[in-house]
Amino acid sequence: MTAHRKKVAVLISGRGSNMEALIVAARAVDYPAEITTVISSQPDAPGLTFARNAGIATVALDHKTFQAREAFEAALQTALDAAGVELIALAGFMRLMTPDFVGRWRDRMINIHPSLLPSFKGLHTHEQALSAGVRVAGCTVHFVRAELDSGPIIAQAAVAVQSGDTAATLADRVLAAEHKLYPAALRLVAAGQIHVDGEKTIGYEDVNQTTALFSPPLQG
Ligand code: GRF
């Protein structure tokens, strides 16, 4: 008997490259989640085209046509209920959510953010990292809480900052890491291998690596 695959909605607002990585990963027969629905807050989000071509049901909820956040979220909840969604993966979804909606999906809604949280919340994370002068940047997948870019951390990937980096070159390398990290993190959550305990997660396997990432590298 095939194990139950968690029904996942991916919420986007634009390009959708993380959504694409999740859709591709979920094609594997042993992946514990299926992407049943892609919902966009922008009707012309480029990511919708990939999702439609992949045969996935799409819903465009133009946030500008809703007078209040609550009305937008009511429509969102209706779409999620209609598709029997069990988990939400935010992937470049540019709408702030009310505490009520976030509470309803507590520990069942995850997000990817292009920094090593809790550093560099909000927008322009790569500019923030470069202006802070950090030598290691990265990305984080976390459970969503009402406060912006916070919540129990599920997985992170570190990326060394190069001396000639611009926000764009750093963003490219972090994005490549995001595309590997997000499917791996969703796998853990959908398979029930990682749980929230307090405001941290437990259940992850330790990395099979004892050396640190040194940036700049050690000499000699
Ligand atoms: C990604 O960098 C993601 O971490 C952030 O928004 C960006 C979305 O890119 N939340 P894409 O739409 O997945 O290509």
Side-chain angles (χ1 to χ4, degrees):
M1 200 183 79
T2 323
H4 174 72
R5 302 176 82 207
K6 283 269 164 67
K7 289 183 168 41
V8 175
V10 183
L11 272 53
I12 65 169
S13 297
R15 180 177 56 184
S17 69
N18 278 291
M19 170 213 73
E20 191 174 325
L22 294 177
I23 290 172
V24 170
R27 287 182 184 146
V29 283
D30 68 341
Y31 200 78
E34 57 175 317
I35 312 302
T36 52
T37 316
V38 169
I39 302 176
S40 174
S41 62
Q42 296 284 350
D44 54 355
L48 285 173
T49 307
F50 181 92
R52 285 192 197 110
N53 290 341
I56 293 170
T58 61
V59 179
L61 289 178
D62 187 351
H63 68 92
K64 291 190 289 297
T65 64
F66 294 90
Q67 289 202 333
R69 211 172 283 282
E70 287 75 12
F72 174 79
E73 289 177 354
L76 181 56
Q77 186 65 44
T78 300
L80 295 166
D81 289 343
V85 168
E86 299 169 276
L87 283 174
I88 297 176
L90 305 180
F93 185 67
M94 301 301 286
R95 303 298 302 159
L96 289 174
M97 286 163 159
T98 63
D100 187 49
F101 186 88
V102 174
R104 190 172 318 139
W105 287 91
R106 188 179 174 91
D107 301 343
R108 298 185 298 142
M109 177 157 63
I110 65 177
N111 179 47
I112 187 157
H113 181 76
S115 78
L116 289 175
L117 290 173
S119 292
F120 313 134
K121 296 178 178 182
L123 296 173
H124 310 299
T125 55
H126 307 299
E127 286 88 343
Q128 291 188 55
L130 291 177
S131 70
V134 296
R135 303 301 306 149
V136 177
C139 49
T140 303
V141 179
H142 62 98
F143 287 104
V144 175
R145 294 291 183 261
E147 305 76 43
L148 180 70
D149 297 327
S150 53
I153 290 171
I154 300 162
Q156 293 185 302
V159 172
V161 176
Q162 308 291 347
S163 52
D165 263 335
T166 61
T169 59
L170 181 57
D172 282 350
R173 292 202 311 290
V174 171
L175 190 64
E178 292 181 45
H179 295 161
K180 293 182 184 160
L181 188 71
Y182 211 1
L186 177 60
R187 175 187 280 278
L188 289 174
V189 173
Q193 287 172 333
I194 205 153
H195 299 282
V196 177
D197 181 35
E199 281 302 274
K200 298 180 188 172
T201 60
I202 54 169
Y204 57 85
E205 224 175 283
D206 289 339
V207 286
N208 181 22
Q209 179 187 322
T210 51
T211 52
L213 164 64
F214 289 95
S215 174
L218 301 182
Q219 310 240 314

